[in-house]
């Protein structure tokens, strides 16, 4: 059976979708199936390194990218389906071609954010993108999503005609050696800093984390720091980066809160290796990859009690009430003062991370690829 994997979107992806696509491609190659022939539209590493549309700022650049994306989905990708005689097309970036195809489609819709939080997106872009998603849900389509929470959310907004299956993804494989000098560059000491890694999207609640960290410092006189790694939000509506910068300055935390920007894998691994804890205050997630990354490195995790994060963490994290400044502050203090709790979370987290392997990730796809369920035609 020929399976065509669409990797075009890697030329702009910078967030969890990039991790999803890269790890899916890696797993397909690492764990081949005798009945499946994988065909990649692009080499993952080469497409990830394509700089043509990355960091496009002008309206013309953004328009050029959307036109390129539309041409790919509606013309070039259907041509590749025909050229290779694909039996299955996997689109891991929400959108499948609107054109009629002879093959089955597995379309990955990671979350329901476009419907749940319309205020976070430009109105015209959101309308356009949702229309692309819906037009691609046709013929023999099977929707894949990341958690049971995302499945329930999508069922509220999409037609019941399409089956939705949950496949837990694998976290990023940080196999390269950690940068031994990176912590020195940031003047960080082992186990003396909390971390958060991700974009400054509004839903991530990073200002809440900064405020809670300030409260933690006031009540404990701790010397610990907070490291915020990642880039700005993906749109003006979503971007909390300026707000965080102003808040850090207002609270006088310039020496305590380090905003690093995007980091290399070796730098991220160095941060994970020596962190005291990972803090994930997000108000809405479809999955929550950093939880598993942190647990895999033996780092305890504090996270909001948002449904997807509770689902992924199991009982191996330390949850706080989503959006509660006081509860998050208390959890930072608790983890700092209770060494027994911290050790317990590390042990539980290490075991929990084993449930999200690359093998289980790709096996979920093989199960659907090789055991087709009846869908709308």
């Amino acid at each position: 059976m020929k399976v065509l994997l669409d990797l075009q979107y890697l030329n702009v992806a910078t967030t969890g979708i990039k991790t999803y696509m890269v790890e899916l491609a890696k797993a397909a190659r690492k764990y081949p199936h005798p009945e499946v022939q994988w065909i990649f539209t692009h080499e993952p590493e080469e497409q990830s390194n394509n700089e043509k549309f990355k960091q496009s700022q002008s309206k013309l650049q953004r328009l050029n990218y959307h036109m390129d994306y539309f041409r790919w989905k509606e013309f070039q990708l259907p041509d590749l389906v025909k050229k290779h005689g694909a039996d299955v097309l996997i689109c891991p970036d929400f959108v499948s071609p609107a054109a009629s195809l002879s093959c089955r489609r597995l379309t990955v819709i990671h979350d329901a954010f476009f419907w749940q939080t319309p205020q976070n997106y430009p109105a015209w872009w959101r309308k356009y993108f949702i229309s692309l998603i819906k037009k691609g849900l046709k013929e023999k389509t099977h929707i894949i999503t990341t958690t049971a929470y995302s499945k329930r959310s999508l069922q509220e907004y999409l037609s019941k005609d399409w089956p939705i299956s949950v496949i837990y993804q694998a976290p990023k494989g940080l196999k390269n050696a950690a940068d031994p000098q990176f912590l020195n560059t940031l003047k960080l000491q082992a186990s003396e800093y909390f971390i958060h890694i991700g974009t400054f999207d509004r839903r991530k609640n990073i200002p809440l984390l900064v405020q809670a960290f300030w409260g933690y410092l006031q009540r404990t006189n701790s010397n610990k720091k907070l490291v915020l790694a990642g880039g700005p939000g993906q749109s003006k509506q979503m971007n909390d980066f300026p707000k965080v910068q102003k808040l850090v300055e207002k609270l006088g935390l310039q020496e305590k809160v380090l905003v690093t920007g995007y980091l290399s894998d070796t730098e991220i691994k160095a941060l994970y290796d020596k962190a005291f804890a990972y803090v994930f205050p997000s108000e809405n997630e479809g999955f929550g990859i950093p939880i598993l990354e942190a647990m895999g490195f033996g780092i305890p995790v504090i996270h909001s009690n948002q449904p997807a994060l509770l689902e992924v963490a199991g009982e191996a994290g330390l949850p706080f009430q989503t959006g509660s400044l006081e509860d998050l502050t208390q959890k930072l203090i608790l983890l700092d003062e209770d060494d027994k709790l911290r050790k317990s979370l590390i042990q539980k987290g290490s075991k929990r991370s084993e449930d999200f392997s690359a093998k289980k990730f790709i096996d979920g796809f093989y199960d659907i690829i090789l055991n087709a369920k009846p869908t709308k035609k």
Side-chain angles (χ1 to χ4, degrees):
M1 182 173 292
K2 294 182 179 180
V3 178
L4 181 64
L5 177 59
D6 176 12
L7 297 175
Q8 165 76 2
Y9 187 69
L10 281 176
N11 65 345
V12 293
T14 59
T15 58
I17 297 180
K18 177 181 179 180
T19 299
Y20 191 102
M21 296 172 74
V22 170
E23 296 307 315
L24 177 58
K26 286 182 180 178
R29 284 179 165 163
K30 186 175 182 179
Y31 301 104
H33 192 286
E35 296 181 46
V36 174
Q37 177 187 345
W38 287 97
I39 303 166
F40 293 176
T41 61
H42 302 77
E43 277 300 312
E45 186 173 350
E46 291 179 10
Q47 189 68 354
S48 295
N49 293 331
N50 186 335
E51 298 292 331
K52 182 178 180 180
F53 293 112
K54 283 188 171 67
Q55 300 179 343
S56 296
Q57 298 300 323
S58 73
K59 289 183 178 180
L60 180 59
Q61 287 174 315
R62 291 194 294 270
L63 178 61
N64 284 338
Y65 165 69
H66 288 304
M67 291 177 63
D68 184 79
Y69 185 80
F70 182 82
R71 283 194 298 269
W72 169 258
K73 287 292 184 180
E74 303 308 333
F75 299 100
Q76 294 169 276
L77 188 55
D79 283 347
L80 284 178
V81 170
K82 294 178 182 178
K83 175 182 176 181
H84 294 289
D87 300 292
V88 179
L89 170 65
I90 300 179
C91 292
D93 60 338
F94 289 81
V95 176
S96 177
S100 292
L101 302 175
S102 58
C103 66
R104 293 167 53 212
R105 310 170 189 231
L106 303 186
T107 302
V108 183
I109 303 182
H110 299 254
D111 49 61
F113 296 163
F114 299 116
W115 294 274
Q116 293 172 324
T117 54
Q119 70 276 11
N120 287 347
Y121 305 93
W124 69 268
W125 183 88
R126 175 180 171 272
K127 183 178 180 180
Y128 166 72
F129 199 74
I130 288 178
S131 71
L132 287 183
I133 294 173
K134 290 186 174 181
K135 287 178 181 177
L137 297 178
K138 59 192 305 181
E139 300 164 338
K140 295 168 283 187
T141 295
H142 195 130
I143 297 172
I144 309 297
T145 194
T146 53
T147 56
Y149 165 72
S150 288
K151 177 178 179 177
R152 293 192 300 271
S153 300
L154 290 171
Q155 286 173 332
E156 293 182 25
Y157 300 101
L158 296 177
S159 167
K160 304 295 183 181
D161 292 325
W162 317 111
I164 303 178
S165 295
V166 175
I167 298 177
Y168 285 144
Q169 66 191 90
K172 192 172 187 178
L174 296 170
K175 301 300 183 184
N176 295 330
D179 183 342
Q181 298 302 320
F182 185 62
L183 295 190
N184 292 335
T185 302
L186 296 180
K187 298 180 181 179
L188 292 173
Q189 301 295 321
S191 299
E192 288 298 315
Y193 59 93
F194 296 92
I195 59 171
H196 177 277
I197 300 173
T199 60
F200 284 71
D201 283 354
R202 188 150 297 159
R203 64 184 173 83
K204 299 289 186 178
N205 264 350
I206 299 177
L208 181 79
L209 173 55
V210 173
Q211 290 177 300
F213 180 69
W214 179 83
Y216 156 81
L217 292 177
Q218 298 303 304
R219 300 187 202 183
T220 63
N221 294 316
S222 170
N223 290 320
K224 288 184 174 64
K225 296 181 179 181
L226 171 64
V227 181
L228 303 175
Q234 298 182 59
S235 71
K236 289 182 179 180
Q237 290 92 332
M238 295 169 66
N239 185 22
D240 261 351
F241 187 77
K243 184 176 181 179
V244 170
Q245 287 181 308
K246 292 178 181 178
L247 185 59
V248 169
E249 183 176 350
K250 177 183 177 181
L251 297 175
L253 293 173
Q254 294 91 332
E255 300 299 318
K256 287 289 188 176
V257 177
L258 309 181
V259 182
T260 68
Y262 285 115
L263 300 176
S264 68
D265 285 354
T266 59
E267 292 168 336
I268 290 174
K269 188 170 183 178
L271 281 179
Y272 274 134
D273 271 342
K274 304 296 182 181
F276 177 77
Y278 190 95
V279 190
F280 206 159
S282 183
E283 65 182 16
N284 199 6
E285 291 291 331
F287 188 76
I289 292 172
I291 284 183
L292 299 177
E293 290 179 349
M295 288 179 174
F297 276 92
I299 304 169
V301 176
I302 299 172
H303 62 86
S304 63
N305 63 354
Q306 190 269 342
L309 300 186
L310 286 173
E311 182 178 342
V312 171
E315 298 182 354
L318 181 61
F320 73 94
Q321 184 179 346
T322 302
S324 172
L325 175 59
E326 178 59 24
D327 197 17
L328 177 53
T329 305
Q330 290 287 355
K331 292 303 191 297
L332 293 173
I333 295 171
L334 175 62
L335 193 64
D336 190 33
E337 295 179 345
D338 192 336
D339 190 56
K340 183 177 179 180
L341 171 63
R342 184 169 183 271
K343 290 179 179 178
S344 174
L345 290 173
I346 291 172
Q347 184 178 23
K348 290 179 180 178
S350 179
K351 184 175 181 180
R352 178 61 173 166
S353 67
E354 295 174 358
D355 293 333
F356 297 82
S357 67
K359 180 68 163 56
K360 291 181 179 180
F361 186 25
I362 198 64
D363 280 348
F365 274 91
Y366 285 141
D367 183 59
I368 294 173
I369 289 169
L370 298 172
N371 298 284
K373 297 177 182 179
T375 62
K376 180 180 175 181
K377 297 184 178 180

